[in-house]
Amino acid sequence: MLASLCLTVSGIGTGSAGAETLIINSYGGPYEDIIRERIIEPFEKRFGIDVVYDAVGSAQQDYAKIKATKGQPGFDLVVMTASQSLQGCKDGLLEKLTPASIPNLNVLQSDLAAVAGPCGAVHEVQYLSLLYRTDKLATEPVSWSALLEPELKKRVILPTFQNIMAVYLLEMMSVTNGGDLIDNVGPGFDAMAKVSAQSVGFEQSSAILESYLREGSVWAMPFWNGRAQLMVDEGLPVDYVRPKEGTIPLVATLNVPVGAANKEAARKFIDFFLEKSSQEAWVAGYRVGSARSDISVPDELKDRQLARGSDDEPLHLPDLLRLQEKLPEWAERWERDVVPNAR
């Protein structure tokens, strides 16, 4: 999410006096543009509910705010990931969502819905990819270890640890170098210290991260596949791969804090977002995957999405509750052992 201090309001001047309001905390950049056009505006038109869009903070920061305010963060609906969804349910800070009030929860694939737990509605699925400049690298990278190639010296940009992308990259570098996803991540930290030395530094925002690749000062970086596909669609000299060691899926969720002021409007929005037509519009627009199996996916995306259940495509699924518990310890180690090497 963009660390913007501005609230942008959709529908001011068009809603009726005294109209119901829904405050949504989510991402900025292309995400905001696409969700406004394909989800928020149609939702406002159908229900007459004015949406205030708050693009402030990362998923981790948003959950920290929910926790600090005991479930009353000032927004009604938040976009996070399955990690925060599970933790928030465990902490009793997020509403449990049921098909009784959100019927479209019933149509989500059960295994993906289970990843997010009872407090999260899965509205999209992405994965960590390796994004690179096709006009700068002689060959397509095939391994996460490609980030250590001499030709990429000071040609890599990395996410900050507040971005879950950094956590997943750490775990994949651990697996690539003989470690695992949770209990033995030492090889990952060792590898990330070396990748950090290859980098030009760290950025939290996806929009800022991608700007380095756009301008050509950076030639490779980890990135979510949906955002990477948007860059490919623009005709930029970039492409992305799922390295041979596999990847980790990003299960994105819609969540309602227990102290939200407009819970009914939030539930309406979730159900609307999970409708077949809304999911098709979202997948086509943001270039991501869906937890619905009955939607039509654009042909150009079918081979770029995860082939779930395929033995040929390693898919790593960390224990997200245990991962959430490890994050404070890992964050300290990241700042101590990884970040200084970029200087």
Side-chain angles (χ1 to χ4, degrees):
M1 294 182 184
L2 293 179
S4 165
L5 296 180
C6 297
L7 293 183
T8 52
V9 181
S10 173
I12 286 183
T14 61
S16 60
E20 192 174 0
T21 299
L22 175 67
I23 303 175
I24 298 177
N25 181 277
S26 189
Y27 307 123
Y31 187 105
E32 179 175 353
D33 296 336
I34 296 167
I35 196 173
R36 283 187 179 281
E37 175 190 351
R38 292 175 178 257
I39 306 297
I40 291 176
E41 291 176 6
F43 171 79
E44 289 178 317
K45 184 176 180 180
R46 180 188 296 184
F47 292 99
I49 297 174
D50 289 335
V51 173
V52 176
Y53 194 89
D54 177 9
V56 178
S58 67
Q60 286 287 356
Q61 291 169 330
D62 292 335
Y63 184 64
K65 185 174 182 179
I66 292 171
K67 191 169 184 179
T69 60
K70 295 181 172 57
Q72 300 182 69
F75 45 77
D76 306 306
L77 184 68
V78 59
V79 176
M80 297 192 291
T81 73
S83 294
Q84 293 85 34
S85 181
L86 290 169
Q87 188 64 51
C89 230
K90 181 181 178 182
D91 294 343
L93 296 173
L94 298 176
E95 286 284 309
K96 290 187 177 180
L97 309 177
T98 67
S101 57
I102 306 173
N104 279 306
L105 287 173
N106 274 327
V107 301
L108 302 184
Q109 296 177 60
S110 59
D111 55 345
L112 284 174
V115 169
C119 294
V122 181
H123 72 290
E124 71 174 45
V125 181
Q126 294 196 62
Y127 61 84
L128 187 67
S129 71
L130 184 54
L131 177 64
Y132 67 98
R133 290 278 302 215
T134 57
D135 59 339
K136 301 295 185 181
L137 299 188
T139 58
E140 177 183 277
V142 297
S143 169
W144 289 109
S145 294
L147 292 170
L148 294 170
E149 291 294 330
E151 66 180 323
L152 287 177
K153 181 71 174 179
K154 296 305 176 184
R155 296 293 185 181
V156 173
I157 186 72
L158 295 171
T160 66
F161 200 77
Q162 289 71 33
N163 189 325
I164 193 66
M165 193 189 305
V167 180
Y168 286 1
L169 177 62
L170 166 67
E171 291 185 301
M172 285 314 308
M173 293 303 287
S174 179
V175 169
T176 298
N177 290 278
D180 62 28
L181 297 173
I182 298 287
D183 296 310
N184 179 23
V185 293
F189 274 105
D190 292 342
M192 284 307 307
K194 296 174 183 176
V195 175
S196 177
Q198 291 272 91
S199 78
V200 297
F202 300 81
E203 296 285 356
Q204 179 176 306
S205 161
S206 293
I208 296 176
L209 283 166
E210 73 175 52
S211 70
Y212 285 82
L213 212 77
R214 286 178 177 276
E215 67 187 23
S217 61
V218 158
W219 297 353
M221 68 178 191
F223 213 43
W224 304 124
N225 72 292
R227 291 289 289 265
Q229 184 65 47
L230 288 173
M231 295 176 71
V232 171
D233 292 343
E234 286 183 48
L236 296 170
V238 302
D239 205 354
Y240 61 100
V241 296
R242 297 188 293 268
K244 64 182 181 180
E245 297 89 3
T247 187
I248 299 175
L250 177 72
V251 177
T253 60
L254 302 169
N255 301 92
V256 181
V258 291
N262 301 292
K263 292 180 183 178
E264 182 58 31
R267 287 189 282 264
K268 287 178 181 177
F269 186 88
I270 293 172
D271 198 55
F272 180 82
F273 206 153
L274 298 182
E275 286 184 4
K276 184 174 185 291
S277 59
S278 297
Q279 284 289 286
E280 288 176 340
W282 186 241
V283 167
Y286 199 50
R287 319 306 266 172
V288 293
S290 172
R292 289 190 70 132
S293 59
D294 61 343
I295 68 168
S296 297
V297 177
D299 289 341
E300 68 272 17
L301 296 183
K302 289 179 179 177
D303 292 337
R304 309 307 300 260
Q305 296 189 346
L306 290 172
R308 297 175 58 243
S310 171
D311 293 334
D312 298 328
E313 185 170 37
L315 190 61
H316 302 276
L317 297 168
D319 182 325
L320 294 179
L321 271 178
R322 291 194 62 213
L323 173 61
Q324 195 74 9
E325 293 169 356
K326 290 283 188 180
L327 290 183
E329 171 194 337
W330 289 2
E332 290 183 7
R333 188 171 178 182
W334 180 276
E335 293 300 320
R336 184 184 69 240
D337 297 343
V338 177
V339 173
N341 289 283
R343 301 189 181 114

